[in-house]
Every structure is written in C-alpha cells, then in structure tokens.
Amino acid sequence: MRSLEISKDFTLEDIRKIRDYAYYRRLEIGAAYEKETRQDYLKGLAILNRLKAERLK
C-alpha cells in the first residue's frame, strides 16, 4: 500500500496525492472500500455537525 504524505503548506500537488491514494486504496481493498469510505464520511459529518452546533450556541 502506498502511504499518504501531505506537506504542511497543502498545495495542489497534495490534492493530487489524496486523489491518487484514494484510487489505489480502492483498487487494493475492492468492495470493502465502499464500507470504509462510508464510515469515514459519517465520522466527518458528525464532526461537522458538532462544530456547527457549537457555533450556533
């Protein structure tokens, strides 16, 4: 598996690295990729909703 390394300045090249990493990850783990990405999406959504709720208080 390729590792994902992002620079501290977060450039356009980093976005390409993320895209490539996701592509190769999907190829490596196949159908389990959908389940894994769905779980990550739900975690991110929960964080976003919590931050929105805190901001509205």
Side-chain angles (χ1 to χ4, degrees):
M1 158 82 87
R2 300 174 65 172
S3 64
L4 179 62
E5 295 182 19
I6 304 297
S7 68
K8 65 180 182 178
D9 296 328
F10 198 75
T11 63
L12 183 58
E13 184 60 29
D14 292 323
I15 294 171
R16 290 183 182 119
K17 287 178 187 177
I18 292 168
R19 184 190 64 214
D20 290 346
Y21 177 81
Y23 171 76
Y24 289 112
R25 180 93 174 124
R26 186 177 69 222
L27 289 179
E28 285 181 9
I29 64 175
Y33 177 80
E34 293 296 327
K35 183 179 179 183
E36 181 181 300
T37 54
R38 177 78 175 152
Q39 289 171 346
D40 289 345
Y41 165 76
L42 292 174
K43 287 177 189 175
L45 189 59
I47 292 169
L48 181 61
N49 287 334
R50 180 180 49 83
L51 292 172
K52 282 182 179 178
E54 289 175 2
R55 187 173 183 197
L56 292 176
K57 289 182 182 180

